[in-house]
Amino acid sequence: MDIKDFYYDLPSELIAQDPLFDRSSSRLLVLGKSSGRIEHHVFSEIIEYLMPGDCLVVNNTKVIPARLYGRKEGTGANIEILLLKRKEKDVWETLVKPGKKAKPGTKISFGEGLLMGEVLSIAEEGNRVIRFTYDGIFEEILDKLGQMPLPPYILHTLKDKNRYQTVYAKYDGSAAAPTAGLHFTPELLDEIRKKGVEIAEVTLHVGLGTFRPVKETDVLKHHMHSEYFCIEESAAEQINRTKAAGGRIIAVGTTSTRTLEAVADETGYLSAKSGWTEIFIYPGYSFKVIDGLITNFHLPESTLLMLVSALAGRENIQKAYAEAVKQKYRFFSFGDAMLII
């Protein structure tokens, strides 16, 4: 399977730089996964496609202000750190720029000493393992010193940190937002519940590995980075009950999809579970749980584009993306949405 099979041409002006004032006013392209039929809507109209007895599955992870700017002790050199994965209470795997200035033993000061970090070791792909020391509560210090880790294609400054969070975000741990959920408002979720649609919550802390480019020409040689997930017993029961009654499971985002598909057994049955997943979904994959997917428009040649191609078929996705470009949809994290059903 060649990486070029997942390329499409995207004019740079279609990359959304700012979130819309009203989350649910983004556009919605609806794609029939079997028919290939395309329809155009406003996101708030998604309720028309949800039926009583269906179950929406959302990822309740919360993005942490994971980008920190500090100075190397001794030289005063500027160092940028991105928190990737918590290994112990105060020990994190991080991405450091410039890495050559962060050898084991290096000490870094953030906020004039409010937070201190020491490089313990060098991990996979040159990431640094850092132990932090501080007085007080780490999360409060991080909220004061850290910045939201927006993707590199977003060049504008985010004025409101909450606009890079879903309205149902609960559990700190992500280095990037599960962006399909950014379109929901509390009011729209209430309408969906009133229609008889259940909403189940799972957790997957999104790491940068999800968004890293596929460098292999042969897609099958790509290695996904591991991400932490958790499905509580109540959510597993909700989803199992929906499937048993003939309702549809509609995942909000590729992260919810990967969580469900990683945990389910061969029959699609879910049990409460937590752990790490490296699941990589690409065309040829047989979905065990989900029937539909709400998602944003993804980068060319990305693993996320491969996942949606596995669900709807590569040709249908290429056709839908070409139509979205033609109709000047907004792409990527702050962009418009797609419903595959």
Side-chain angles (χ1 to χ4, degrees), residues 8 10 25 31 42 92 125 153-154 178 223 261 266 337-338:
Y8 68 93
L10 179 68
S25 66
L31 173 64
V42 174
W92 287 77
E125 295 194 0
Y153 48 75
I154 294 179
H223 173 67
E261 295 295 325
E266 289 306 312
M338 173 188 280

Side-chain angles (χ1 to χ4, degrees), residues 23-50:
R23 291 173 182 259
S24 64
S25 66
S26 55
R27 297 167 76 185
L28 176 71
L29 186 150
V30 180
L31 173 64
K33 63 181 180 179
S34 298
S35 66
R37 182 181 176 185
I38 294 172
E39 298 176 12
H40 301 284
H41 290 270
V42 174
F43 189 83
S44 57
E45 295 171 347
I46 197 167
I47 196 165
E48 298 173 14
Y49 290 89
L50 303 176

Side-chain angles (χ1 to χ4, degrees), residues 145-191:
L145 300 181
Q147 295 185 13
M148 280 299 189
L150 295 178
Y153 48 75
I154 294 179
L155 306 177
H156 292 184
T157 301
L158 183 64
K159 296 176 182 176
D160 179 1
K161 284 183 181 180
N162 288 326
R163 292 313 308 272
Y164 197 54
Q165 302 278 19
T166 63
V167 296
Y168 44 76
K170 286 183 181 177
Y171 302 116
D172 288 340
S174 278
T179 54
L182 296 179
H183 305 283
F184 287 96
T185 64
E187 294 78 15
L188 179 56
L189 289 169
D190 285 344
E191 283 185 50

